[in-house]
Amino acid sequence: MTTAPDTADFPPPPMAEQERMVEAILFAAPAPVSMRELAARMPQGCDPAEAVRALRASYAGRGVVLERIGDGYAFRTAPDLSFLMQTETVEARRLSRAAIETLAIIAYHQPVTRAEIEEIRGVAVNRGTLDQLIEMEWVRMGRRRQTPGRPATFVVTEGFLDHFGLESARDLPGLSELRAAGLLESRPPSDGLAPPLVGRDDEDDIEPEGPAEDLFEDE
Amino acid sequence: MTTAPDTADFPPPPMAEQERMVEAILFAAPAPVSMRELAARMPQGCDPAEAVRALRASYAGRGVVLERIGDGYAFRTAPDLSFLMQTETVEARRLSRAAIETLAIIAYHQPVTRAEIEEIRGVAVNRGTLDQLIEMEWVRMGRRRQTPGRPATFVVTEGFLDHFGLESARDLPGLSELRAAGLLESRPPSDGLAPPLVGRDDEDDIEPEGPAEDLFEDE
Amino acid sequence: MPRPHAPHLRPVPDPDHDADAVAQRRADEALIVDVEGYEGPLDLLLTMARTQKVDLLKISVLELAEQYLVFVEKARALRIELAADYLVMAAWLAFLKSRLLLPPDPEAEGPSAEDMAEHLAFQLERLSAMRQAAERLMGRDRLGQTRFARGAPETVTRARRTEWQAGLIDLMRAYARLKTKDEFRPFAFDRTDVFTMEQALDRLRRMIGFAGQWTDLSVFLPEGWSSEPARRRSATAATFAASLELARQGRLEIRQSDTFAPISYRERSNDDRA
């Protein structure tokens, strides 16, 4: 390094100032900065090695650490805080009718085989539907049924009970309760026809928007 | 599965830890991060405002400082160390005098309409000038003025504050003096009071395809 | 004759008289040469006002107007083409000057000359202030010039999490829907056991001619509709209704001997119809 005659006469800045300089340079640099480059950029007489050492110490245990990367030095966020380096966007979505029906059948009939689910729903169960419920951790595989072919059974999980606020799957309301709640009506409500008045009060509490829409919605 | 109820049961991390988190998030981010975003990224129950306050104090006088910019916070190198940053200095886009004046007028008079800018400068604002400022993300459209014709207004952005190192538009240099001198008052010239504004002809040379308003129609 | 409120008024100096005038002329000529460099008349006026070396709010607008008018005259003499707005400003300033020099006309409408002059001074001061503000702004510690952002920002990964919304009520409703699927079917009128009046009319019209004598209603019921009660009821009702229609048209006669006694029909002869 060439020493410019006029600057060589000045004493180097105090170490605290040199530390500041290294801090700013490393912060703004797009890539790790080598000791040589630090020395070239800092005023004459500075001791970048010492400044880096001091700076490294003062960042110890902080949210940002001074790392040596190859020949250079760079700031990086502390590894234990990497979980903060992602933003999570939560998207609320409604389950498909197929999924909620399959889930209901598993909850009411568990352990239940796929064939049984299909029999109750009257349509084939899409592989994706069961996968989705399993991925959501609301459904898991139970024991295999001891019948020919030893089919797998499905049961609901703790997570399911937690989500739906149930102590156990046995707490699910039975058919008679569903009927009392107006969820099981023997006559289809049709347009312009008022639903039966009996039990309307309870029903209102449970489903203020009325049952008719969901019953005939397209799958 | 909902995670919120589970985490709410945990006590928030100690303040020193929250400070580390804010430090890591702000260090990693290229643009200012708002308090709201900090809160969203940190665990439940954290107090990012308090953490920012503590962190700001501990960075005072360092080579890197924690700046407040509009709604957000960001680390920036200390201005006194700019002499070390020759390699990082980005060639500033050369702004015309018209662009600089227009920018200042928008900053000090915001929200301001194009007609008001023209009234202050005494010449028509050509579209290229506003386009340039908008493209640089220093200026954006504000609400339309609720006056006949509902003219668009212009305001400065957070990018402007960041670029010029301002916490808010209230911190513009000399703002209170200008206001006290009545120079920021909107004095709509009544008929015959002010010299007429000409110069639309020049503008037509620049933008033969029509008046500038069209550009900003979709607000 | 100068008016008391225009203290800065002074006669236009004779260009060849003194050194001041020479300097003034040179300045004016410099302005003319530089006219391309000005952003319009207000900008030029501001430069001229600066030569008065006073607080902009205390400038003599009258003097400024005269200076400007002299400038425009010289530009013309030098055959320099001035843009329209310079000429409009000249006309406006000439008007203002005349009003400042004349005693106020009590009949005159609109703003007074003083108001106009004051507004011009305000405009000049405001433009000047904005220029200073712009300078101060550009002189700040600007990002990328003296202040720097993180050179290697770390990427924030964006994770998408889907939160499924389903409540117990959805679950119960789904189950209810399944368990009552057979009962629940879209309303459709069951036509298999219904004999319509149209069908009955058709049948009756064809058969009545052959019957000849009084014939019991049951004979007219279609085949297979007599045994099953629901079907029989439907066919009986339709046939009876059809018979009423034919009776109305005068094509058959209806007879019932007693309440709930069998109903019988016969064709009405042409003779009777007449």
Side-chain angles (χ1 to χ4, degrees):
Chain A
M1 198 179 308
T2 53
T3 33
D6 42 348
T7 53
D9 299 335
F10 290 109
M15 187 44 67
E17 194 59 19
Q18 294 188 35
E19 213 182 297
R20 284 185 79 224
M21 292 175 180
V22 172
E23 189 178 27
I25 291 172
L26 295 187
F27 176 83
V33 183
S34 69
M35 206 57 92
R36 228 170 59 161
E37 202 186 331
L38 279 175
R41 285 172 67 174
M42 289 165 76
Q44 285 289 324
C46 283
D47 183 353
E50 178 52 34
V52 165
R53 206 172 301 123
L55 194 64
R56 211 170 181 178
S58 67
Y59 270 94
R62 302 289 296 269
V64 167
V65 290
L66 180 49
E67 282 183 6
R68 181 177 179 144
I69 294 157
D71 268 352
Y73 295 86
F75 283 118
R76 293 284 182 261
T77 53
D80 66 307
L81 297 176
S82 63
F83 70 96
L84 293 170
M85 295 304 127
Q86 55 171 284
T87 53
E88 204 175 51
T89 48
V90 179
E91 190 188 9
R93 285 179 60 184
R94 292 190 71 82
L95 274 178
S96 68
R97 178 167 151 166
I100 191 87
E101 283 185 8
T102 305
L103 182 64
I105 292 166
I106 295 170
Y108 276 92
H109 293 268
Q110 65 169 346
V112 63
T113 66
R114 188 185 167 110
E116 287 161 349
I117 297 169
E118 290 180 342
E119 196 195 326
I120 296 170
R121 282 200 73 217
V123 285
V125 173
N126 195 310
R127 165 120 225 126
T129 305
L130 274 170
D131 283 352
Q132 185 193 8
L133 293 172
I134 290 167
E135 199 192 333
M136 291 166 73
E137 298 181 1
W138 282 356
V139 163
R140 63 175 175 82
M141 308 278 278
R143 288 168 178 237
R144 288 189 178 273
R145 187 69 57 77
Q146 295 309 311
T147 52
R150 302 187 65 246
T153 64
F154 297 93
V155 295
V156 290
T157 63
E158 286 286 318
F160 166 88
L161 297 176
D162 198 31
H163 180 92
F164 289 94
L166 296 164
E167 291 271 314
S168 80
R170 283 187 301 278
D171 291 344
L172 280 168
L175 281 184
S176 57
E177 289 162 290
L178 292 178
R179 199 181 296 276
L183 289 164
L184 276 184
E185 292 184 40
S186 49
R187 276 196 302 153
S190 55
D191 280 344
L193 267 178
L197 291 169
V198 187
R200 276 309 285 174
D201 291 355
D202 311 270
E203 194 184 2
D204 278 345
D205 291 338
I206 301 165
E207 37 167 8
E209 76 276 15
E213 296 78 23
D214 287 347
L215 293 174
F216 297 114
E217 84 190 358
D218 291 331
E219 201 166 336
Chain B
M1 200 181 314
T2 52
T3 46
D6 311 335
T7 52
D9 297 336
F10 291 111
M15 189 43 68
E17 193 60 20
Q18 294 188 34
E19 210 182 307
R20 286 185 76 225
M21 290 176 178
V22 171
E23 188 179 27
I25 293 172
L26 295 186
F27 235 84
V33 181
S34 71
M35 205 57 93
R36 227 172 57 163
E37 201 185 330
L38 280 176
R41 283 172 66 180
M42 290 166 74
Q44 288 278 328
C46 282
D47 182 355
E50 179 52 35
V52 163
R53 207 171 301 125
L55 195 63
R56 211 173 179 183
S58 66
Y59 269 90
R62 302 279 296 268
V64 167
V65 291
L66 180 48
E67 290 185 1
R68 181 181 180 146
I69 294 152
D71 276 347
Y73 294 87
F75 280 116
R76 300 288 181 244
T77 60
D80 68 301
L81 298 175
S82 65
F83 69 96
L84 294 168
M85 303 296 168
Q86 306 311 327
T87 54
E88 269 78 33
T89 307
V90 284
E91 191 52 53
R93 189 167 165 184
R94 280 210 60 82
L95 282 175
S96 65
R97 196 176 89 171
I100 293 168
E101 273 180 32
T102 303
L103 179 65
I105 291 168
I106 293 170
Y108 283 82
H109 290 262
Q110 65 173 342
V112 64
T113 67
R114 186 186 166 107
E116 286 161 349
I117 298 169
E118 293 182 338
E119 214 261 316
I120 293 169
R121 295 199 65 230
V123 283
V125 173
N126 79 53
R127 188 167 73 183
T129 304
L130 277 169
D131 279 0
Q132 188 185 15
L133 295 173
I134 289 169
E135 201 193 336
M136 292 172 84
E137 296 184 356
W138 284 354
V139 164
R140 64 174 177 81
M141 308 284 293
R143 286 167 178 238
R144 284 184 186 277
R145 190 68 59 79
Q146 294 307 311
T147 52
R150 301 187 67 244
T153 64
F154 298 92
V155 295
V156 290
T157 63
E158 195 162 277
F160 167 88
L161 298 177
D162 194 12
H163 184 90
F164 291 100
L166 295 162
E167 280 200 15
S168 78
R170 285 184 299 278
D171 300 317
L172 283 163
L175 186 74
S176 49
E177 293 91 317
L178 289 171
R179 186 170 290 140
L183 290 168
L184 300 182
E185 283 163 27
S186 175
R187 283 201 207 173
S190 52
D191 275 348
L193 188 63
L197 177 74
V198 206
R200 293 283 181 185
D201 295 353
D202 307 283
E203 197 186 3
D204 282 347
D205 295 340
I206 299 162
E207 37 169 5
E209 71 272 43
E213 282 73 32
D214 296 351
L215 229 204
F216 306 118
E217 214 60 275
D218 45 348
E219 195 176 341
Chain C
M1 180 173 150
R3 289 166 59 227
H5 66 259
H8 305 286
L9 177 69
R10 58 170 198 193
V12 180
D14 183 344
D16 294 323
H17 241 265
D18 50 43
D20 259 8
V22 172
Q24 180 69 48
R25 194 187 62 199
R26 289 218 173 110
D28 289 347
E29 277 167 5
L31 287 181
I32 291 164
V33 173
D34 279 352
V35 73
E36 289 294 311
Y38 290 96
E39 277 203 86
L42 202 61
D43 187 17
L44 176 61
L45 276 170
L46 185 57
T47 308
M48 288 175 165
R50 288 241 169 78
T51 65
Q52 292 189 21
K53 293 190 177 87
V54 286
D55 187 336
L56 277 173
L57 275 179
K58 294 189 187 111
I59 57 158
S60 162
V61 169
L62 188 57
E63 193 180 318
L64 193 62
E66 280 167 352
Q67 218 177 319
Y68 186 89
L69 293 171
V70 167
F71 157 81
V72 171
E73 277 310 307
K74 287 196 175 152
R76 273 188 182 152
L78 292 171
R79 294 172 188 275
I80 289 173
E81 195 126 337
L82 286 177
D85 44 350
Y86 286 85
L87 302 178
V88 171
M89 178 63 91
W92 188 83
L93 286 173
F95 168 70
L96 176 60
K97 180 184 154 190
S98 69
R99 288 201 52 191
L100 283 171
L101 292 172
L102 290 170
D105 178 1
E107 304 285 302
E109 290 187 5
S112 71
E114 287 77 20
D115 289 343
M116 290 164 73
E118 196 205 352
H119 190 79
L120 181 62
F122 166 75
Q123 277 184 297
L124 292 172
E125 199 199 2
R126 184 175 58 181
L127 180 59
S128 168
M130 281 300 112
R131 290 201 171 152
Q132 283 167 22
E135 251 169 62
R136 288 171 78 175
L137 202 55
M138 299 315 276
R140 287 186 65 83
D141 287 321
R142 290 164 60 188
L143 193 66
Q145 307 296 312
T146 57
R147 289 154 53 248
F148 296 84
R150 179 88 187 270
E154 286 161 62
T155 47
V156 173
T157 56
R158 304 216 170 260
R160 268 180 102 87
R161 186 162 63 92
T162 306
E163 197 159 85
W164 295 98
Q165 287 184 326
L168 191 56
I169 194 69
D170 301 308
L171 195 73
M172 286 159 57
R173 214 181 271 160
Y175 191 63
R177 185 165 61 218
L178 288 166
K179 295 309 279 184
T180 56
K181 190 148 59 181
D182 295 336
E183 295 171 57
F184 281 16
R185 60 187 169 100
F187 180 78
F189 197 71
D190 195 342
R191 291 184 163 266
T192 54
D193 290 335
V194 172
F195 194 62
T196 67
M197 185 169 146
E198 284 73 28
Q199 288 171 302
L201 262 175
D202 232 34
R203 187 176 172 81
L204 210 52
R205 275 201 203 98
R206 276 187 279 113
M207 290 180 71
I208 193 70
F210 297 104
Q213 274 311 305
W214 289 104
T215 309
D216 195 82
L217 187 152
S218 59
V219 176
F220 293 96
L221 295 187
E223 233 171 278
W225 287 75
S226 315
S227 47
E228 215 255 303
R231 286 167 74 84
R232 190 177 64 235
R233 276 198 298 275
S234 174
T236 305
T239 303
F240 180 67
S243 72
L244 291 177
E245 173 62 19
L246 290 181
R248 194 183 63 80
Q249 291 172 10
R251 295 183 56 182
L252 62 70
E253 290 175 301
I254 305 174
R255 186 179 76 177
Q256 186 178 32
S257 54
D258 204 353
T259 313
F260 298 119
I263 296 167
S264 47
Y265 307 127
R266 75 168 180 195
E267 188 181 29
R268 191 167 174 184
S269 67
N270 285 336
D271 316 345
D272 299 336
R273 258 185 253 171

